[in-house]
Amino acid sequence: MRIRYGEVEDLEVLTDLWLQYYRDQGSSILDYCVDLGASRERIRNFLSTVLQDERMRLLVAEEGREVIGFLILDTALLSELFSLRYRVGEVVALGVAREWRRRGVGSQLLRSALEYLRRCGCQYVLAEVLEENKPSLNLFRKLGFTLDHRVQVLVRKV
Ligand SMILES: CC(C)(COP(=O)(O)OP(=O)(O)OC[C@H]1O[C@@H](n2cnc3c(N)ncnc32)[C@H](O)[C@@H]1OP(=O)(O)O)[C@@H](O)C(=O)NCCC(=O)NCCS
């Protein structure tokens, strides 16, 4: 398996992987409002924007010629709003194809992301993970992440 930067040619398979990632990460904000089936084109456009955004980085894991996982990084979190003492990165999304899980792909993507952030001069990296997403929490903890704070999402009908 090798890790490389994502390219425009990967967009179709990345869209499939992103949809899988989104479904499998657990219940998400406003699931009942999102029409995932009708969102494919938008998600593809979002991923295309990520590829062109210089503060973002999209890594893919490849086995042979098959893309089996991806990770999206923001390398300059909070920098638009705040003057920062330390540069902060964020793991925006991380997904491994279902049939390739539990074989070290997620770990490898995350290690490569940490290496990339180090080279960018980031001193901290954060990730938002749903409390019910034990695979993801275990993975981040295994690679040295610790709990910073919890968030509660509140909603009401207007
Ligand atoms: C979370 C995810 C990326 C993990 O990828 P992966 O390639 O399976 O992870 P790895 O094989 O590198 O596993 C590393 C560690 O993560 C933890 N882990 C992974 N899958 C797990 C599971 N199903 N149950 C419990 N712990 C799990 C374990 O600690 C594991 O180490 P171990 O194998 O030595 O026990 C993958 O399950 C996935 O794509 N899930 C759906 C999308 C998602 O939740 N993304 C993260 C959103 S923040």
Side-chain angles (χ1 to χ4, degrees):
M1 188 219 333
R2 72 173 182 128
I3 309 291
R4 63 167 171 80
Y5 297 153
E7 295 163 6
V8 177
E9 292 71 35
D10 302 317
L11 276 174
E12 280 310 312
V13 64
L14 282 172
T15 306
D16 292 334
L17 286 176
W18 197 96
L19 284 162
Q20 215 178 73
Y21 139 82
Y22 185 82
R23 289 194 181 99
D24 292 354
Q25 68 169 340
S27 57
S28 294
I29 302 169
L30 301 180
D31 267 345
Y32 43 91
C33 295
V34 171
D35 183 350
L36 205 53
S39 304
R40 190 182 170 84
E41 196 56 34
R42 284 170 194 265
I43 290 161
R44 195 184 188 283
N45 289 343
F46 160 71
L47 293 167
S48 174
T49 310
V50 168
L51 288 180
Q52 291 164 52
D53 187 335
E54 51 186 39
R55 71 179 249 185
M56 309 288 273
R57 182 48 91 185
L58 196 154
L59 303 176
V60 301
E62 193 175 52
E63 179 66 47
R65 303 201 66 182
E66 189 186 356
V67 175
I68 59 174
F70 75 99
L71 185 151
I72 298 174
L73 272 179
D74 182 344
T75 66
L77 196 66
L78 305 172
S79 60
E80 277 158 10
L81 197 55
F82 299 112
S83 171
L84 296 169
R85 288 189 196 95
Y86 305 104
R87 186 162 171 170
V88 184
E90 180 183 11
V91 178
V92 176
L94 164 62
V96 173
R98 285 182 191 133
E99 58 277 23
W100 283 93
R101 287 180 193 164
R102 228 46 216 268
R103 295 202 235 172
V105 180
S107 304
Q108 199 48 50
L109 277 163
L110 196 48
R111 280 196 199 96
S112 299
L114 289 169
E115 184 53 43
Y116 185 83
L117 290 172
R118 241 173 252 131
R119 290 205 305 270
C120 289
C122 284
Q123 270 126 319
Y124 289 93
V125 55
L126 63 85
E128 283 185 17
V129 182
L130 292 166
E131 204 149 22
E132 71 221 53
N133 190 347
K134 300 301 175 209
S136 183
L137 287 174
N138 288 345
L139 166 58
F140 281 103
R141 287 203 181 106
K142 196 175 164 189
L143 268 78
F145 286 70
T146 56
L147 180 67
D148 186 67
H149 64 268
R150 295 174 198 275
V151 174
Q152 298 198 13
V153 178
L154 309 180
V155 67
R156 58 156 279 179
K157 225 167 175 215
V158 182

